Amino acid sequence: MFVVVGVTGGIAAYKTVHLVRLLVKEGHEVHVVPTDDAVRFVGLPTWEAISRHSVTTSVHDDVARVRHVSLGQSADLVIVAPATANTLAKMATGLADDLLGTTLLATTAPVVVAPAMHTEMWRHPATMANIATLRARGVITVGPADGELTGGDSGPGRMSEPEDIVAAALAAAGAPEADLAGLRAVVTAGGTREPIDPVRFIGNRSSGKQGVAVALAAADRGADVVLIAAYVDEGVLGEASAHPRVRVVRAGTAAELAAAVGHEAGEADAIVMAAAVADYRVADVSEAKLTKDAAAGPGVTLHLVENDDILAGLVGARREGQTVVGFAAETPGEGETLLDRGRRKAARKGADLLAVNQVGWAQGFEVDENEVMILDASGGVVATPRGSKREVADALWDAVRENRGKTK
Ligand code: CTP
């Protein structure tokens, strides 16, 4: 998210250094816009070092890029912390005599202010009227908190804690709640490729989109994620690779995927097997490219041997507190329903949850929408999300949370 943090001239500006750091650590692009008064408390080098972007107070710098409006236009969220009584008054009247003022007028993003001032200034009818005006315009206020102030007096006027301001601001901007914070997740995605010879393989139509969406949803909700990617298109993997809480591990074959899962699963709280793992591999992979000349007749026969069932291995080795989730892609035949098939597989696999979806020539693969039935270990239907793969992913994590709440 592109976040503009306005800083105005109050001693609480030192706390905003931590606020900026929290946002940067979360992976947001943060641009700090201090006022001239703010830099008397905390200087430009600090803001530049902590935000990793150049910082200026003036509308006359970087004019070629029309910075006085471009920051506001680009912003997904604007936070003003601390917001002094003077700044609140300027915001209420729409004054724009510095870069923060122009940015605030140019933005259509949610604006969150964290007032900080002495109690008398906060309670003054002028400030109260300004706050009422700003709230009526949709500005969100966080605090001020009640407590000790710099003059030794106490009362409402302290800037709220950076963690609280960040949480309120991200919620205002529609960012998901960090309800999976601290969860260690392993997610597999994509289809394995089982080599026949140096140029050929047996693969499947999995694009990896659903697995990547599962990984991203968890990371956006605060989990630390290891994404074990079999064959996944770079374009699909891109956003996940860039996420600060996703570590991508590559695997090609079912055996490589099994080894990677074995390596990562021990520490995990939740493991989601969204990868389409080949059930069989070629017994004797040819070192040289197979040629038609070498084939004895008009056809060739490949001898296939069974791969280990990774999910079954995970279920068998599951430790206390670990949640194991499988996926099942089914093509129900005549006279049987998707639910029948799903229930049989849920019973056979023994995973805590199984996400079952119907696939076909034109269904389930390489598309952005999905519909799944989430079953628990006894075959009960927990949820039937339908929508974007991200929506399905979020529903899956909701089910994981509920399942962990019940059983762990
Ligand atoms: N899976 C696995 N290891 C395998 C094959 C599949 O871990 N060798 C996992 C998949 O990642 C998925 C689940 O098992 O989470 C179900 O995969 P699926 O292919 O539907 O199940 P199979 O047991 O292979 O059943 P089927 O006979 O329907 O192919």
Side-chain angles (χ1 to χ4, degrees), residues 188 254 273-279 307-312 325-330 341 345 348-349 354:
T188 66
M273 286 293 300
V277 185
D279 289 327
N307 284 325
D308 289 340
D309 187 325
I310 306 168
L311 184 60
V325 183
F327 265 77
E330 303 293 335
R341 295 278 294 224
K345 193 164 280 185
R348 181 156 61 80
K349 294 276 183 181
L354 188 71

Side-chain angles (χ1 to χ4, degrees), residues 191-196 200-206 231 276 278 280:
T192 64
R193 287 181 170 183
E194 307 301 316
I196 298 168
R200 302 182 180 96
F201 59 84
I202 300 174
N204 60 67
R205 287 178 56 203
S206 170
Y231 180 74
Y280 298 94

Side-chain angles (χ1 to χ4, degrees), residues 377-402:
S378 56
V381 181
V382 175
T384 50
R386 177 197 186 145
S388 68
K389 288 190 171 175
R390 173 56 184 253
E391 284 166 322
V392 168
D394 274 315
L396 186 72
W397 286 113
D398 292 344
V400 168
R401 279 199 63 195
E402 198 173 318

Side-chain angles (χ1 to χ4, degrees), residues 97-404:
D97 58 353
D98 58 8
L99 186 58
L100 180 58
T102 58
T103 301
L104 283 162
L105 285 189
T107 196
T108 54
V111 176
V112 176
V113 296
M117 65 200 73
H118 281 276
T119 306
E120 296 79 358
M121 295 172 77
W122 173 248
R123 288 197 174 133
H124 194 282
T127 306
M128 289 290 108
N130 290 332
I131 283 285
T133 303
L134 292 172
R135 283 184 181 149
R137 274 187 214 142
V139 170
I140 293 153
T141 52
V142 183
D146 210 322
E148 207 177 300
L149 303 169
T150 31
D153 46 349
S154 77
R158 272 170 73 91
M159 188 174 91
S160 293
E161 291 309 312
E163 286 79 3
D164 298 336
I165 300 168
V166 166
L170 291 178
E177 200 192 331
D179 61 349
L180 299 178
L183 187 94
R184 291 161 299 180
V186 171
V187 178
T188 66
T192 64
R193 287 181 170 183
E194 307 301 316
I196 298 168
D197 67 18
V199 296
R200 302 182 180 96
F201 59 84
I202 300 174
N204 60 67
R205 287 178 56 203
S206 170
S207 62
K209 283 183 179 172
Q210 184 62 75
V212 169
V214 169
L216 271 174
D220 283 347
R221 288 165 64 164
D224 292 306
V225 182
V226 181
L227 172 60
I228 303 177
Y231 180 74
V232 179
D233 210 66
E234 273 309 320
V236 174
L237 200 56
E239 204 187 331
S241 322
H243 198 293
R245 273 191 302 279
V246 179
R247 176 162 61 86
V248 176
V249 175
R250 302 306 296 247
T253 63
E256 285 167 11
L257 194 91
V261 169
H263 193 251
E264 304 290 348
E267 297 284 295
D269 303 307
I271 307 161
V272 180
M273 286 293 300
V277 185
D279 289 327
Y280 298 94
R281 66 182 180 280
V282 176
D284 299 303
V285 177
S286 174
E287 284 303 318
K289 185 185 163 200
L290 298 176
T291 62
K292 275 188 282 189
D293 294 347
V300 286
T301 302
L302 291 174
H303 181 63
L304 303 180
V305 288
E306 200 169 344
N307 284 325
D308 289 340
D309 187 325
I310 306 168
L311 184 60
L314 288 169
V315 170
R318 180 175 34 193
R319 60 166 173 74
E320 182 86 20
Q322 202 172 46
T323 308
V324 178
V325 183
F327 265 77
E330 303 293 335
T331 52
E334 283 283 312
E336 58 175 358
T337 63
L338 184 64
L339 185 57
D340 298 334
R341 295 278 294 224
R343 283 194 167 138
R344 275 212 300 279
K345 193 164 280 185
R348 181 156 61 80
K349 294 276 183 181
D352 296 289
L353 294 168
L354 188 71
V356 187
N357 70 334
Q358 186 155 348
V359 291
W361 292 110
Q363 204 178 356
F365 295 115
E366 299 145 7
V367 292
D368 295 322
E369 298 280 305
N370 205 1
E371 180 176 1
V372 309
M373 204 181 266
I374 302 174
L375 305 184
D376 61 20
S378 56
V381 181
V382 175
T384 50
R386 177 197 186 145
S388 68
K389 288 190 171 175
R390 173 56 184 253
E391 284 166 322
V392 168
D394 274 315
L396 186 72
W397 286 113
D398 292 344
V400 168
R401 279 199 63 195
E402 198 173 318
N403 188 271
R404 291 176 66 77

Side-chain angles (χ1 to χ4, degrees), residues 82-104:
T84 59
N86 182 53
T87 298
L88 295 172
K90 283 170 68 175
M91 285 175 74
T93 38
L95 281 181
D97 58 353
D98 58 8
L99 186 58
L100 180 58
T102 58
T103 301
L104 283 162

